[in-house]
């Protein structure tokens, strides 16, 4: 066990639930921010918040902050109210966390701020290869990510090292996108989305957890960091690989117009193409446990 205190929001989420025990193995104390409190466990101290303002006490004595909380993007129909929640739960909370850091004595500020972002930053980019230097894209989620990262960067002027993880679709046994993707296959209705040529940026949850720990501990890493696996796949390859792993047919394509009708402004997240490469993680020497899609799906679907 190491020294130090880590504050984490979104601790009850898909990624947070895997990350918290790993943090507790490495740090003296992990303070978890949740809207519903939580249970005290060995080296884990729950703290309540309203989803926006962590309060002054939560930041006390903290060495690193990991901010993962946010209204789920695919958690229901994209009504105006939900789109506003997707945006505000990320941007307003990040701004407030940075304000709370600014209010601390400089010597008492956290050294590191790791804030989630998403590959949605890049919009829909066809065949372009996207590393961290690539320009942002257009669309609702691209704008949310751009503002989210801008708020996080506000901590840099306070002497805090900031890493914005541009996270790809997280593949995990316990839920998230993979649970949704498995439903049509289990009904024998699996198939590519649209024309299937769009690149699908993904990462196995264990690699995302390891990349987050790497970001906290690797002082050379800062700014935007693509958190995706090194193997870029197209939707068609994703569909065929998932069908093979699940031993199910992949015959019925889901037409783009039907997806747009069902998902509205977030359809671009599934239909858009993003060939994202983890340039900074690779350059920094990060080792992926699940670098190939087939291996990642075999673990997550076992
Ligand atoms: N999973 C993916 O495929 C993926 C891909 C790209 C980016 N990301 C980003 O990575 C982060 C973590 O992802 P995740 O999949 O672990 O998220 P998640 O499972 O959806 O959960 C995140 C946590 O956010 C909190 N939350 C939910 N709605 C909220 C709201 N309206 N206001 C404030 N807090 C709210 C909840 O915690 P409490 O109920 O305990 O408060 C929840 O446990 C998110 O910011 C997400 O946008 C995820």
């Amino acid at each position: 066990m190491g020294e130090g205190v880590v504050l984490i929001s979104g601790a009850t989420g898909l990624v947070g639930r895997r990350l918290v025990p790993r943090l507790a193995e490495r740090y003296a104390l992990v303070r978890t921010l949740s809207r519903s409190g939580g249970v005290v466990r060995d080296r884990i101290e729950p703290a309540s918040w309203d989803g926006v303002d962590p309060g002054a006490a939560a930041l006390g004595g903290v060495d690193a902050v990991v901010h993962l909380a946010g209204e789920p993007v695919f958690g229901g129909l994209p009504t105006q109210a939900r789109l506003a929640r997707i945006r505000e739960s990320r941007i307003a909370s990040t701004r407030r966390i940075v304000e709370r850091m600014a209010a601390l004595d400089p010597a008492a500020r956290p050294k590191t701020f790791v804030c989630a972002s998403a590959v949605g930053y890049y919009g829909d980019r066809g065949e372009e290869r996207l590393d961290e230097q690539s320009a942002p894209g257009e669309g609702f989620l691209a704008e949310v990510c751009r503002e989210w990262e801008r708020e996080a960067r506000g901590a840099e002027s306070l002497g805090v090292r900031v890493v914005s993880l541009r996270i790809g679709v997280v593949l995990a046994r316990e839920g998230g996108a993979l649970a949704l993707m498995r439903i049509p296959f289990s009904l024998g209705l699996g198939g590519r989305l649209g024309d299937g040529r769009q690149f699908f940026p993904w990462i196995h949850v264990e690699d995302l957890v390891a990349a987050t720990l790497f970001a906290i501990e690797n002082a050379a890493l800062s700014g935007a960091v693509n958190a995706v696996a090194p193997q870029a796949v197209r939707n068609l390859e994703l569909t065929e690989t998932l069908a093979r792993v699940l031993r199910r047919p992949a015959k019925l394509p889901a037409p783009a117009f039907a997806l747009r009708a069902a998902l509205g402004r977030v359809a671009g997240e599934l239909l858009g193409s993003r060939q994202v490469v983890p340039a900074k993680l690779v350059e920094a020497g990060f080792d992926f446990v699940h670098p190939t899609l087939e291996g990642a799906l075999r673990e997550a679907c076992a």
Side-chain angles (χ1 to χ4, degrees), residues 5-59:
V5 178
V6 179
L7 175 68
I8 173 172
S9 78
T12 58
L14 182 73
V15 181
R17 279 197 307 267
R18 294 266 196 138
L19 181 57
V20 168
R22 298 287 303 282
L23 287 168
E25 284 165 17
R26 293 160 101 100
Y27 295 95
L29 184 69
V30 183
R31 192 172 293 145
T32 58
L33 275 178
S34 169
R35 292 165 305 164
S36 53
V39 184
V40 179
R41 277 171 288 154
D42 202 18
R43 294 199 294 281
I44 300 176
E45 176 188 275
S48 295
W49 74 330
D50 58 3
V52 175
D53 184 359
L59 269 290

Side-chain angles (χ1 to χ4, degrees), residues 66 99 159 178 260:
V66 180
E99 284 169 0
L178 188 55
R260 285 197 199 283

Side-chain angles (χ1 to χ4, degrees), residues 10-16 33-36 49-51 67-73 85 89-90 116-119 148 167-170 177:
T12 58
L14 182 73
V15 181
L33 275 178
S34 169
R35 292 165 305 164
S36 53
W49 74 330
D50 58 3
H67 182 32
L68 301 176
E71 174 81 16
V73 171
R85 280 205 303 278
S89 61
R90 289 170 171 79
S117 178
V119 291
W148 195 4
I167 301 169
V169 176
V170 179

Side-chain angles (χ1 to χ4, degrees), residues 181-182 185-186 241-248 298 301:
M181 281 152 50
R182 288 179 72 153
F185 282 92
S186 63
T241 311
L242 190 54
R244 196 162 55 244
V245 168
L246 296 175
R247 297 169 189 266
R248 290 288 188 165
R298 288 209 180 278
C301 295

Side-chain angles (χ1 to χ4, degrees), residues 78-93:
T79 58
Q80 285 305 322
R82 233 176 58 74
L83 292 175
R85 280 205 303 278
I86 289 171
R87 194 178 174 284
E88 283 312 298
S89 61
R90 289 170 171 79
I91 294 162
S93 59

